[in-house]
């Protein structure tokens, strides 16, 4: 892992946006570049040497009524319950749909595999999974599949202003 040097010419614009957002918000942990890509939560956990649940993965949906991006930041070891999310963000009885790669990029400014919870080009509707609070430290994408940053779930809530909700499928018993 290497700290991100904003003076370097090869820093992607999306990563630069995240670093600058975190600095402006006074976040104490600088994003780092990983030697290997972490496009999936499992890859990120393996590279970082942490539990899968400590990866704060970003799942983007598309609210059909107004074409808004809905970003759910959830624990890497769990699946998002789309019906729970829909009930929370489609209060007009509307529907939630899948977001393809083009929509994610256009709506957030990030490519799938690097969607950060901060630094969006336009603010999405956002929810934070309550299950992230099982951990003291989680890791989130920083605008690129090789870039991540460390934070606590409480810091995630503070940085995003997003409500903390039950948004996952119950674990099998």
């Amino acid at each position: 892992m290497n700290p991100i040097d904003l003076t370097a010419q090869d820093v992607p614009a999306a990563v630069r946006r995240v670093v600058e957002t975190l600095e402006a918000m006074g976040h104490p942990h600088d994003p780092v570049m990983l030697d290997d890509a972490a496009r999936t939560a499992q890859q990120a956990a393996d590279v970082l040497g942490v539990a899968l649940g400590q990866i704060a993965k970003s799942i983007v949906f598309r609210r059909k009524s107004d074409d808004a991006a809905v970003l759910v930041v959830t624990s890497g070891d769990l699946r998002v319950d789309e019906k729970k999310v829909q009930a929370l963000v489609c209060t007009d009885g509307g529907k939630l749909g899948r977001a393809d790669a083009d929509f994610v990029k256009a709506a957030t400014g990030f490519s799938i595999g690097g969607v950060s919870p901060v630094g969006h080009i336009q603010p999405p509707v956002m929810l934070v999974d309550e299950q992230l609070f099982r951990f003291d430290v989680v890791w989130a994408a920083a605008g690129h599949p090789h870039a991540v940053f460390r934070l606590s779930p409480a810091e995630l809530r503070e940085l995003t202003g997003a409500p903390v909700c039950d948004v996952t499928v119950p674990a099998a018993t």
Side-chain angles (χ1 to χ4, degrees):
M1 292 190 295
N2 301 309
I4 296 171
D5 178 7
L6 286 184
T7 63
Q9 296 297 318
D10 60 346
V11 176
V15 173
R16 189 176 299 277
R17 219 173 37 250
V18 172
V19 171
E20 291 170 349
T21 299
L22 291 172
E23 284 178 355
M25 298 179 95
H27 186 66
H29 303 290
D30 293 330
V32 295
M33 291 298 278
L34 304 174
D35 294 329
D36 297 313
R39 292 186 186 280
T40 68
Q42 187 63 64
Q43 288 172 334
D46 292 346
V47 169
L48 292 166
V50 299
L52 180 57
Q54 287 180 268
I55 303 304
K57 66 182 178 183
S58 296
I59 308 296
V60 180
F61 295 96
R62 186 178 204 159
R63 189 166 58 192
K64 293 181 178 182
S65 63
D66 60 359
D67 220 27
V70 176
L71 173 59
V72 178
V73 183
T74 188
S75 194
D77 61 345
L78 299 173
R79 285 186 37 240
V80 171
D81 185 329
E82 194 171 328
K83 290 181 181 173
K84 287 181 180 178
V85 175
Q86 182 173 287
L88 291 165
V89 302
C90 299
T91 54
D92 62 355
K95 300 289 181 190
L96 202 60
R98 301 260 179 217
D100 64 18
D102 291 337
F103 177 81
V104 171
K105 180 73 172 182
T108 68
F110 302 117
S111 296
I112 292 175
V115 177
S116 175
V118 299
H120 303 100
I121 56 172
Q122 47 190 324
V125 175
M126 190 179 300
L127 302 173
V128 171
D129 175 16
E130 67 186 15
Q131 292 299 316
L132 285 167
F133 286 79
R134 296 176 289 159
F135 303 99
D136 293 331
V137 173
V138 296
W139 290 82
H144 187 276
H146 285 257
V148 295
F149 67 100
R150 175 190 168 166
L151 71 169
S152 71
E155 288 169 328
L156 175 63
R157 181 182 55 222
E158 290 168 19
L159 288 170
T160 63
V164 175
C165 308
D166 172 11
V167 294
T168 56
V169 175
T173 54

